[in-house]
């Protein structure tokens, strides 16, 4: 009887040891609960927090109006980048983008304008970017910023909802607010505009304001092209 009792105790001890080892060594592919959380640098977002988003994937005003993709961090100024400039000078520069009616020109607050305004050395910028485990920008994107070349900037940062003609970028709102003649002068063909309007309908939805605006502009442009022939 004593031997049977000792055997049961031994089995219980072995079971507890096995369970402990299993928890200490998670299955490959599973994150360990003891791993430190991944942290990203705090960034300033160029979006008005009071403005409702449209469509899928956070497609708000930035996707409609901005040339570049906010998810590529072109418009994100991390606190560490900001420290490369004088605090008071930065505060005054940032204030120049606030309008009297309470709105803000967020499109102008971006990494390129920041680098140009404060003449940030490339080496210092790279050092800050690479100080994080997961840098905000790739080497290619940094090269594009410091080249100030339209082609490189478009290649690295273009808003996927925009129309690109050569190195020029035209977001949906630009199309909606310009004449058919101006659209033609920009080099946007009827074929390209038709294709892009179909994409915008899927992205922003048939009930969105931009859908109504661009569909009306497409009809106007079709008539313009027909009259030119």
């Amino acid at each position: 009887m004593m031997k049977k009792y000792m055997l049961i105790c031994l089995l219980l001890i072995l079971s507890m040891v096995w369970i402990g080892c299993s928890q200490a060594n998670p299955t490959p592919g599973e994150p360990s609960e003891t791993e430190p959380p991944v942290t990203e640098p705090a960034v300033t977002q160029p979006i008005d927090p009071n403005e409702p988003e449209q469509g899928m994937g956070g497609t708000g005003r930035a996707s409609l109006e901005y040339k570049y993709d906010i998810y590529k961090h072109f418009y994100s100024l991390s606190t560490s980048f900001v420290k490369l400039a004088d605090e008071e000078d930065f505060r005054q520069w940032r204030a120049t983008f606030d309008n009297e009616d309470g709105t803000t020109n967020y499109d102008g607050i971006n990494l390129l304008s920041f680098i140009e305004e404060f003449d940030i050395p490339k080496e210092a910028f790279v050092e800050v970017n690479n100080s994080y485990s997961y840098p905000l920008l790739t080497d290619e994107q940094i090269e594009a910023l410091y080249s100030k070349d339209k082609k490189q900037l478009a290649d690295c940062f273009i808003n996927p909802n925009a129309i690109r003609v050569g190195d020029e970028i035209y977001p949906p709102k630009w199309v909606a607010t310009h004449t058919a003649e101006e659209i033609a002068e920009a080099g946007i063909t009827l074929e390209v505009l038709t294709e892009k309007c179909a994409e915008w309908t899927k992205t922003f939805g048939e009930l969105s304001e931009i859908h109504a605006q661009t569909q009306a502009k497409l009809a106007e442009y079709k008539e313009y092209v027909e009259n030119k022939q």
Side-chain angles (χ1 to χ4, degrees):
M1 187 70 177
M2 181 61 68
K3 289 183 178 181
K4 186 176 180 180
Y5 176 78
M6 292 179 65
L7 180 60
I8 292 173
C9 290
L10 180 60
L11 289 172
L12 287 173
I13 292 172
L14 290 174
S15 297
M16 292 175 65
V17 171
W18 181 83
I19 291 172
C21 291
S22 298
Q23 292 178 342
N25 298 289
T27 304
E30 291 183 346
S32 169
E33 294 181 358
T34 59
E35 291 180 359
V38 176
T39 56
E40 293 289 351
V43 297
T44 56
Q45 290 298 329
I47 305 302
D48 184 347
N50 296 319
E51 183 169 2
E53 296 180 341
Q54 304 177 43
M56 299 161 50
T59 50
R61 195 181 75 185
S63 292
L64 295 175
E65 299 182 11
Y66 297 177
K67 290 183 178 182
Y68 300 110
D69 188 352
I70 62 168
Y71 299 110
K72 295 291 182 65
H73 301 296
F74 183 83
Y75 299 100
S76 299
L77 294 180
S78 77
T79 53
S80 294
F81 286 145
V82 170
K83 288 179 181 178
L84 293 173
D86 178 79
E87 182 178 354
E88 180 59 22
D89 289 344
F90 176 82
R91 187 189 65 78
Q92 293 179 7
W93 175 74
R94 170 61 182 80
T96 63
F97 297 98
D98 294 329
N99 304 316
E100 292 183 359
D101 61 0
T103 60
T104 298
N105 176 24
Y106 288 106
D107 190 24
I109 308 171
N110 58 64
L111 287 173
L112 180 58
S113 61
F114 171 75
I115 289 170
E116 291 177 334
E117 175 69 21
F118 298 103
D119 195 23
I120 305 298
K122 181 179 178 181
E123 294 76 14
F125 188 91
V126 170
E127 183 177 357
V128 170
N129 185 68
N130 293 342
S131 66
Y132 298 100
S133 300
Y134 298 92
L136 284 179
L137 303 166
T138 66
D139 292 341
E140 183 181 10
Q141 289 171 331
I142 293 175
E143 287 298 325
L145 287 171
Y146 277 87
S147 74
K148 304 174 186 177
D149 180 75
K150 284 186 175 181
K151 181 181 185 305
Q152 291 188 50
L153 289 167
D155 288 344
C156 290
F157 296 106
I158 186 172
N159 173 0
N161 292 298
I163 294 174
R164 179 176 178 176
V165 181
D167 300 331
E168 298 296 331
I169 301 172
Y170 303 95
K173 202 67 177 180
W174 185 95
V175 173
T177 56
H178 285 72
T179 66
E181 185 176 2
E182 289 171 326
I183 293 172
E185 290 176 351
I188 300 173
T189 65
L190 178 58
E191 180 182 3
V192 168
L193 184 58
T194 301
E195 180 181 340
K196 208 64 181 176
C197 281
E199 290 181 16
W200 292 337
T201 298
K202 292 180 180 179
T203 301
F204 302 105
E206 294 185 0
L207 299 179
S208 64
E209 182 181 5
I210 195 65
H211 166 75
Q213 292 174 335
T214 53
Q215 287 298 316
K217 192 62 62 176
L218 178 59
E220 179 186 330
Y221 193 45
K222 284 180 180 178
E223 183 178 353
Y224 173 84
V225 171
E226 289 172 359
N227 292 336
K228 293 287 289 185
Q229 293 176 347

